[in-house]
Structures are given as structure tokens and as C-alpha cells.
PDB file of all heavy atoms in Angstrom:
ATOM      1  N   ARG H   1       4.544 -25.352   0.240  1.00 96.00           N
ATOM      2  CA  ARG H   1       4.962 -24.119  -0.433  1.00 96.00           C
ATOM      3  C   ARG H   1       4.500 -24.116  -1.892  1.00 96.00           C
ATOM      4  O   ARG H   1       4.010 -23.097  -2.395  1.00 96.00           O
ATOM      5  CB  ARG H   1       6.476 -23.961  -0.361  1.00 96.00           C
ATOM      6  CG  ARG H   1       6.975 -22.674  -1.023  1.00 96.00           C
ATOM      7  CD  ARG H   1       8.467 -22.470  -0.836  1.00 96.00           C
ATOM      8  NE  ARG H   1       9.249 -23.499  -1.506  1.00 96.00           N
ATOM      9  CZ  ARG H   1      10.001 -24.394  -0.887  1.00 96.00           C
ATOM     10  NH1 ARG H   1      10.077 -24.395   0.435  1.00 96.00           N
ATOM     11  NH2 ARG H   1      10.676 -25.297  -1.562  1.00 96.00           N
ATOM     12  N   SER H   2       4.629 -25.237  -2.577  1.00 96.00           N
ATOM     13  CA  SER H   2       4.236 -25.319  -3.984  1.00 96.00           C
ATOM     14  C   SER H   2       2.736 -25.143  -4.151  1.00 96.00           C
ATOM     15  O   SER H   2       2.278 -24.450  -5.066  1.00 96.00           O
ATOM     16  CB  SER H   2       4.676 -26.665  -4.575  1.00 96.00           C
ATOM     17  OG  SER H   2       6.083 -26.798  -4.553  1.00 96.00           O
ATOM     18  N   ALA H   3       1.953 -25.764  -3.271  1.00 97.00           N
ATOM     19  CA  ALA H   3       0.499 -25.616  -3.333  1.00 97.00           C
ATOM     20  C   ALA H   3       0.084 -24.177  -3.061  1.00 97.00           C
ATOM     21  O   ALA H   3      -0.784 -23.616  -3.754  1.00 97.00           O
ATOM     22  CB  ALA H   3      -0.171 -26.560  -2.331  1.00 97.00           C
ATOM     23  N   LEU H   4       0.700 -23.557  -2.071  1.00 97.00           N
ATOM     24  CA  LEU H   4       0.370 -22.168  -1.735  1.00 97.00           C
ATOM     25  C   LEU H   4       0.764 -21.215  -2.862  1.00 97.00           C
ATOM     26  O   LEU H   4       0.039 -20.256  -3.161  1.00 97.00           O
ATOM     27  CB  LEU H   4       1.074 -21.763  -0.443  1.00 97.00           C
ATOM     28  CG  LEU H   4       0.499 -22.363   0.849  1.00 97.00           C
ATOM     29  CD1 LEU H   4       1.483 -22.163   2.003  1.00 97.00           C
ATOM     30  CD2 LEU H   4      -0.860 -21.748   1.197  1.00 97.00           C
ATOM     31  N   HIS H   5       1.905 -21.464  -3.485  1.00 97.00           N
ATOM     32  CA  HIS H   5       2.342 -20.598  -4.588  1.00 97.00           C
ATOM     33  C   HIS H   5       1.345 -20.658  -5.743  1.00 97.00           C
ATOM     34  O   HIS H   5       0.962 -19.614  -6.308  1.00 97.00           O
ATOM     35  CB  HIS H   5       3.728 -21.024  -5.061  1.00 97.00           C
ATOM     36  CG  HIS H   5       4.217 -20.269  -6.259  1.00 97.00           C
ATOM     37  ND1 HIS H   5       4.442 -18.920  -6.254  1.00 97.00           N
ATOM     38  CD2 HIS H   5       4.518 -20.687  -7.519  1.00 97.00           C
ATOM     39  CE1 HIS H   5       4.860 -18.523  -7.439  1.00 97.00           C
ATOM     40  NE2 HIS H   5       4.905 -19.581  -8.232  1.00 97.00           N
ATOM     41  N   ALA H   6       0.900 -21.863  -6.107  1.00 97.00           N
ATOM     42  CA  ALA H   6      -0.072 -22.001  -7.192  1.00 97.00           C
ATOM     43  C   ALA H   6      -1.414 -21.373  -6.806  1.00 97.00           C
ATOM     44  O   ALA H   6      -2.068 -20.728  -7.632  1.00 97.00           O
ATOM     45  CB  ALA H   6      -0.256 -23.483  -7.533  1.00 97.00           C
ATOM     46  N   ALA H   7      -1.818 -21.549  -5.548  1.00 97.00           N
ATOM     47  CA  ALA H   7      -3.070 -20.944  -5.082  1.00 97.00           C
ATOM     48  C   ALA H   7      -2.983 -19.421  -5.135  1.00 97.00           C
ATOM     49  O   ALA H   7      -3.954 -18.738  -5.496  1.00 97.00           O
ATOM     50  CB  ALA H   7      -3.376 -21.402  -3.661  1.00 97.00           C
ATOM     51  N   SER H   8      -1.822 -18.876  -4.797  1.00 97.00           N
ATOM     52  CA  SER H   8      -1.633 -17.429  -4.854  1.00 97.00           C
ATOM     53  C   SER H   8      -1.742 -16.916  -6.288  1.00 97.00           C
ATOM     54  O   SER H   8      -2.321 -15.846  -6.535  1.00 97.00           O
ATOM     55  CB  SER H   8      -0.259 -17.058  -4.263  1.00 97.00           C
ATOM     56  OG  SER H   8      -0.010 -15.678  -4.366  1.00 97.00           O
ATOM     57  N   LEU H   9      -1.203 -17.676  -7.241  1.00 97.00           N
ATOM     58  CA  LEU H   9      -1.326 -17.285  -8.644  1.00 97.00           C
ATOM     59  C   LEU H   9      -2.789 -17.205  -9.060  1.00 97.00           C
ATOM     60  O   LEU H   9      -3.193 -16.274  -9.772  1.00 97.00           O
ATOM     61  CB  LEU H   9      -0.580 -18.274  -9.535  1.00 97.00           C
ATOM     62  CG  LEU H   9       0.947 -18.252  -9.465  1.00 97.00           C
ATOM     63  CD1 LEU H   9       1.530 -19.374 -10.338  1.00 97.00           C
ATOM     64  CD2 LEU H   9       1.499 -16.908  -9.911  1.00 97.00           C
ATOM     65  N   LEU H  10      -3.599 -18.164  -8.630  1.00 97.00           N
ATOM     66  CA  LEU H  10      -5.022 -18.141  -8.976  1.00 97.00           C
ATOM     67  C   LEU H  10      -5.740 -16.988  -8.283  1.00 97.00           C
ATOM     68  O   LEU H  10      -6.563 -16.300  -8.898  1.00 97.00           O
ATOM     69  CB  LEU H  10      -5.672 -19.473  -8.608  1.00 97.00           C
ATOM     70  CG  LEU H  10      -5.304 -20.683  -9.465  1.00 97.00           C
ATOM     71  CD1 LEU H  10      -6.028 -21.928  -8.963  1.00 97.00           C
ATOM     72  CD2 LEU H  10      -5.637 -20.439 -10.930  1.00 97.00           C
ATOM     73  N   GLU H  11      -5.443 -16.787  -7.004  1.00 97.00           N
ATOM     74  CA  GLU H  11      -6.118 -15.707  -6.278  1.00 97.00           C
ATOM     75  C   GLU H  11      -5.805 -14.332  -6.871  1.00 97.00           C
ATOM     76  O   GLU H  11      -6.660 -13.433  -6.851  1.00 97.00           O
ATOM     77  CB  GLU H  11      -5.705 -15.731  -4.802  1.00 97.00           C
ATOM     78  CG  GLU H  11      -6.306 -16.864  -4.003  1.00 97.00           C
ATOM     79  CD  GLU H  11      -6.188 -16.663  -2.503  1.00 97.00           C
ATOM     80  OE1 GLU H  11      -5.397 -15.790  -2.077  1.00 97.00           O
ATOM     81  OE2 GLU H  11      -6.883 -17.370  -1.756  1.00 97.00           O
ATOM     82  N   ASN H  12      -4.612 -14.174  -7.385  1.00 96.00           N
ATOM     83  CA  ASN H  12      -4.176 -12.862  -7.866  1.00 96.00           C
ATOM     84  C   ASN H  12      -4.244 -12.714  -9.385  1.00 96.00           C
ATOM     85  O   ASN H  12      -3.784 -11.708  -9.922  1.00 96.00           O
ATOM     86  CB  ASN H  12      -2.745 -12.592  -7.388  1.00 96.00           C
ATOM     87  CG  ASN H  12      -2.656 -12.443  -5.875  1.00 96.00           C
ATOM     88  OD1 ASN H  12      -3.153 -11.480  -5.314  1.00 96.00           O
ATOM     89  ND2 ASN H  12      -2.039 -13.412  -5.210  1.00 96.00           N
ATOM     90  N   ASP H  13      -4.836 -13.700 -10.067  1.00 95.00           N
ATOM     91  CA  ASP H  13      -4.939 -13.631 -11.520  1.00 95.00           C
ATOM     92  C   ASP H  13      -6.002 -12.601 -11.910  1.00 95.00           C
ATOM     93  O   ASP H  13      -7.177 -12.755 -11.557  1.00 95.00           O
ATOM     94  CB  ASP H  13      -5.321 -15.000 -12.087  1.00 95.00           C
ATOM     95  CG  ASP H  13      -5.197 -15.064 -13.600  1.00 95.00           C
ATOM     96  OD1 ASP H  13      -5.757 -14.183 -14.283  1.00 95.00           O
ATOM     97  OD2 ASP H  13      -4.547 -15.992 -14.090  1.00 95.00           O
ATOM     98  N   PRO H  14      -5.639 -11.538 -12.640  1.00 93.00           N
ATOM     99  CA  PRO H  14      -6.604 -10.479 -12.961  1.00 93.00           C
ATOM    100  C   PRO H  14      -7.766 -10.956 -13.836  1.00 93.00           C
ATOM    101  O   PRO H  14      -8.858 -10.379 -13.782  1.00 93.00           O
ATOM    102  CB  PRO H  14      -5.760  -9.432 -13.699  1.00 93.00           C
ATOM    103  CG  PRO H  14      -4.554 -10.172 -14.180  1.00 93.00           C
ATOM    104  CD  PRO H  14      -4.298 -11.244 -13.169  1.00 93.00           C
ATOM    105  N   GLU H  15      -7.548 -12.010 -14.610  1.00 92.00           N
ATOM    106  CA  GLU H  15      -8.603 -12.500 -15.485  1.00 92.00           C
ATOM    107  C   GLU H  15      -9.641 -13.344 -14.746  1.00 92.00           C
ATOM    108  O   GLU H  15     -10.676 -13.693 -15.323  1.00 92.00           O
ATOM    109  CB  GLU H  15      -8.000 -13.280 -16.654  1.00 92.00           C
ATOM    110  CG  GLU H  15      -7.143 -12.418 -17.572  1.00 92.00           C
ATOM    111  CD  GLU H  15      -6.731 -13.141 -18.837  1.00 92.00           C
ATOM    112  OE1 GLU H  15      -7.346 -14.175 -19.147  1.00 92.00           O
ATOM    113  OE2 GLU H  15      -5.799 -12.667 -19.508  1.00 92.00           O
ATOM    114  N   LEU H  16      -9.363 -13.693 -13.508  1.00 94.00           N
ATOM    115  CA  LEU H  16     -10.308 -14.499 -12.725  1.00 94.00           C
ATOM    116  C   LEU H  16     -11.133 -13.646 -11.765  1.00 94.00           C
ATOM    117  O   LEU H  16     -11.941 -14.182 -10.999  1.00 94.00           O
ATOM    118  CB  LEU H  16      -9.556 -15.597 -11.958  1.00 94.00           C
ATOM    119  CG  LEU H  16      -8.861 -16.643 -12.842  1.00 94.00           C
ATOM    120  CD1 LEU H  16      -8.076 -17.631 -11.992  1.00 94.00           C
ATOM    121  CD2 LEU H  16      -9.872 -17.387 -13.719  1.00 94.00           C
ATOM    122  N   ASP H  17     -10.919 -12.332 -11.803  1.00 92.00           N
ATOM    123  CA  ASP H  17     -11.770 -11.375 -11.073  1.00 92.00           C
ATOM    124  C   ASP H  17     -11.852 -11.632  -9.571  1.00 92.00           C
ATOM    125  O   ASP H  17     -12.874 -11.338  -8.940  1.00 92.00           O
ATOM    126  CB  ASP H  17     -13.187 -11.361 -11.660  1.00 92.00           C
ATOM    127  CG  ASP H  17     -13.194 -11.005 -13.143  1.00 92.00           C
ATOM    128  OD1 ASP H  17     -12.425 -10.107 -13.527  1.00 92.00           O
ATOM    129  OD2 ASP H  17     -13.950 -11.632 -13.910  1.00 92.00           O
ATOM    130  N   GLY H  18     -10.824 -12.206  -8.996  1.00 92.00           N
ATOM    131  CA  GLY H  18     -10.819 -12.417  -7.549  1.00 92.00           C
ATOM    132  C   GLY H  18     -11.786 -13.472  -7.051  1.00 92.00           C
ATOM    133  O   GLY H  18     -12.084 -13.521  -5.848  1.00 92.00           O
ATOM    134  N   ARG H  19     -12.279 -14.327  -7.953  1.00 93.00           N
ATOM    135  CA  ARG H  19     -13.288 -15.323  -7.542  1.00 93.00           C
ATOM    136  C   ARG H  19     -12.685 -16.548  -6.862  1.00 93.00           C
ATOM    137  O   ARG H  19     -13.403 -17.306  -6.208  1.00 93.00           O
ATOM    138  CB  ARG H  19     -14.100 -15.767  -8.762  1.00 93.00           C
ATOM    139  CG  ARG H  19     -15.042 -14.695  -9.286  1.00 93.00           C
ATOM    140  CD  ARG H  19     -15.844 -15.163 -10.485  1.00 93.00           C
ATOM    141  NE  ARG H  19     -15.006 -15.320 -11.670  1.00 93.00           N
ATOM    142  CZ  ARG H  19     -14.626 -16.471 -12.172  1.00 93.00           C
ATOM    143  NH1 ARG H  19     -15.011 -17.607 -11.598  1.00 93.00           N
ATOM    144  NH2 ARG H  19     -13.860 -16.544 -13.257  1.00 93.00           N
ATOM    145  N   TYR H  20     -11.387 -16.736  -7.020  1.00 95.00           N
ATOM    146  CA  TYR H  20     -10.743 -17.907  -6.418  1.00 95.00           C
ATOM    147  C   TYR H  20     -10.113 -17.508  -5.085  1.00 95.00           C
ATOM    148  O   TYR H  20      -9.163 -16.724  -5.046  1.00 95.00           O
ATOM    149  CB  TYR H  20      -9.681 -18.480  -7.363  1.00 95.00           C
ATOM    150  CG  TYR H  20     -10.285 -19.242  -8.518  1.00 95.00           C
ATOM    151  CD1 TYR H  20     -10.924 -18.559  -9.556  1.00 95.00           C
ATOM    152  CD2 TYR H  20     -10.255 -20.630  -8.563  1.00 95.00           C
ATOM    153  CE1 TYR H  20     -11.504 -19.246 -10.610  1.00 95.00           C
ATOM    154  CE2 TYR H  20     -10.834 -21.327  -9.623  1.00 95.00           C
ATOM    155  CZ  TYR H  20     -11.449 -20.626 -10.643  1.00 95.00           C
ATOM    156  OH  TYR H  20     -12.027 -21.310 -11.689  1.00 95.00           O
ATOM    157  N   ARG H  21     -10.678 -18.048  -4.012  1.00 96.00           N
ATOM    158  CA  ARG H  21     -10.169 -17.802  -2.664  1.00 96.00           C
ATOM    159  C   ARG H  21     -10.046 -19.141  -1.944  1.00 96.00           C
ATOM    160  O   ARG H  21     -10.975 -19.952  -1.976  1.00 96.00           O
ATOM    161  CB  ARG H  21     -11.101 -16.866  -1.891  1.00 96.00           C
ATOM    162  CG  ARG H  21     -11.035 -15.415  -2.380  1.00 96.00           C
ATOM    163  CD  ARG H  21      -9.708 -14.786  -2.011  1.00 96.00           C
ATOM    164  NE  ARG H  21      -9.553 -13.403  -2.473  1.00 96.00           N
ATOM    165  CZ  ARG H  21      -8.941 -13.055  -3.589  1.00 96.00           C
ATOM    166  NH1 ARG H  21      -8.433 -13.986  -4.389  1.00 96.00           N
ATOM    167  NH2 ARG H  21      -8.826 -11.790  -3.931  1.00 96.00           N
ATOM    168  N   PHE H  22      -8.900 -19.354  -1.316  1.00 97.00           N
ATOM    169  CA  PHE H  22      -8.623 -20.640  -0.680  1.00 97.00           C
ATOM    170  C   PHE H  22      -8.571 -20.496   0.832  1.00 97.00           C
ATOM    171  O   PHE H  22      -8.054 -19.510   1.363  1.00 97.00           O
ATOM    172  CB  PHE H  22      -7.290 -21.203  -1.192  1.00 97.00           C
ATOM    173  CG  PHE H  22      -7.309 -21.565  -2.640  1.00 97.00           C
ATOM    174  CD1 PHE H  22      -7.010 -20.615  -3.615  1.00 97.00           C
ATOM    175  CD2 PHE H  22      -7.632 -22.844  -3.045  1.00 97.00           C
ATOM    176  CE1 PHE H  22      -7.023 -20.939  -4.956  1.00 97.00           C
ATOM    177  CE2 PHE H  22      -7.652 -23.183  -4.386  1.00 97.00           C
ATOM    178  CZ  PHE H  22      -7.353 -22.226  -5.340  1.00 97.00           C
ATOM    179  N   GLN H  23      -9.099 -21.503   1.516  1.00 96.00           N
ATOM    180  CA  GLN H  23      -9.003 -21.531   2.974  1.00 96.00           C
ATOM    181  C   GLN H  23      -7.711 -22.225   3.375  1.00 96.00           C
ATOM    182  O   GLN H  23      -7.227 -23.120   2.679  1.00 96.00           O
ATOM    183  CB  GLN H  23     -10.197 -22.252   3.581  1.00 96.00           C
ATOM    184  CG  GLN H  23     -10.385 -23.695   3.127  1.00 96.00           C
ATOM    185  CD  GLN H  23     -11.524 -24.377   3.861  1.00 96.00           C
ATOM    186  OE1 GLN H  23     -11.536 -24.430   5.093  1.00 96.00           O
ATOM    187  NE2 GLN H  23     -12.498 -24.872   3.117  1.00 96.00           N
ATOM    188  N   THR H  24      -7.148 -21.792   4.482  1.00 97.00           N
ATOM    189  CA  THR H  24      -5.933 -22.419   4.992  1.00 97.00           C
ATOM    190  C   THR H  24      -6.165 -23.108   6.331  1.00 97.00           C
ATOM    191  O   THR H  24      -5.268 -23.773   6.845  1.00 97.00           O
ATOM    192  CB  THR H  24      -4.805 -21.379   5.145  1.00 97.00           C
ATOM    193  OG1 THR H  24      -5.224 -20.353   6.056  1.00 97.00           O
ATOM    194  CG2 THR H  24      -4.452 -20.754   3.796  1.00 97.00           C
ATOM    195  N   SER H  25      -7.356 -22.959   6.886  1.00 97.00           N
ATOM    196  CA  SER H  25      -7.652 -23.570   8.183  1.00 97.00           C
ATOM    197  C   SER H  25      -7.914 -25.071   8.063  1.00 97.00           C
ATOM    198  O   SER H  25      -7.955 -25.781   9.072  1.00 97.00           O
ATOM    199  CB  SER H  25      -8.874 -22.898   8.821  1.00 97.00           C
ATOM    200  OG  SER H  25     -10.001 -22.997   7.965  1.00 97.00           O
ATOM    201  N   GLU H  26      -8.069 -25.559   6.834  1.00 98.00           N
ATOM    202  CA  GLU H  26      -8.253 -26.989   6.601  1.00 98.00           C
ATOM    203  C   GLU H  26      -7.629 -27.358   5.266  1.00 98.00           C
ATOM    204  O   GLU H  26      -7.882 -26.705   4.254  1.00 98.00           O
ATOM    205  CB  GLU H  26      -9.740 -27.364   6.593  1.00 98.00           C
ATOM    206  CG  GLU H  26      -9.995 -28.847   6.343  1.00 98.00           C
ATOM    207  CD  GLU H  26     -11.473 -29.199   6.264  1.00 98.00           C
ATOM    208  OE1 GLU H  26     -12.294 -28.292   6.503  1.00 98.00           O
ATOM    209  OE2 GLU H  26     -11.792 -30.356   5.957  1.00 98.00           O
ATOM    210  N   PHE H  27      -6.789 -28.381   5.263  1.00 98.00           N
ATOM    211  CA  PHE H  27      -6.217 -28.852   3.998  1.00 98.00           C
ATOM    212  C   PHE H  27      -5.887 -30.338   4.122  1.00 98.00           C
ATOM    213  O   PHE H  27      -5.860 -30.906   5.213  1.00 98.00           O
ATOM    214  CB  PHE H  27      -4.977 -28.043   3.608  1.00 98.00           C
ATOM    215  CG  PHE H  27      -3.843 -28.080   4.599  1.00 98.00           C
ATOM    216  CD1 PHE H  27      -2.846 -29.040   4.512  1.00 98.00           C
ATOM    217  CD2 PHE H  27      -3.765 -27.136   5.623  1.00 98.00           C
ATOM    218  CE1 PHE H  27      -1.801 -29.068   5.414  1.00 98.00           C
ATOM    219  CE2 PHE H  27      -2.719 -27.148   6.528  1.00 98.00           C
ATOM    220  CZ  PHE H  27      -1.738 -28.116   6.434  1.00 98.00           C
TER     221      PHE H  27
END
């Protein structure tokens, strides 16, 4: 949950222009 929450913050950060996308099929 903690890893996903931090990943969501990066994915949705407006200053990062949507460039951070994480896969969930492998971790």
C-alpha cells in the first residue's frame, strides 16, 4: 500500500507531465 501510494503521487504529479508510469504486473 505504501509503495502504491507513493507511485500514485508520482504518476499524478502535475509538474512531472505524466512521464512516470509504473507497471504492476511485476514487482
Side-chain angles (χ1 to χ4, degrees):
R1 181 175 65 246
S2 297
L4 287 166
H5 175 63
S8 177
L9 290 176
L10 289 180
E11 287 195 345
N12 294 292
D13 191 308
E15 296 189 16
L16 296 176
D17 302 320
R19 289 181 290 106
Y20 285 73
R21 288 290 179 264
F22 294 87
Q23 59 175 304
T24 60
S25 58
E26 180 183 355
F27 60 91

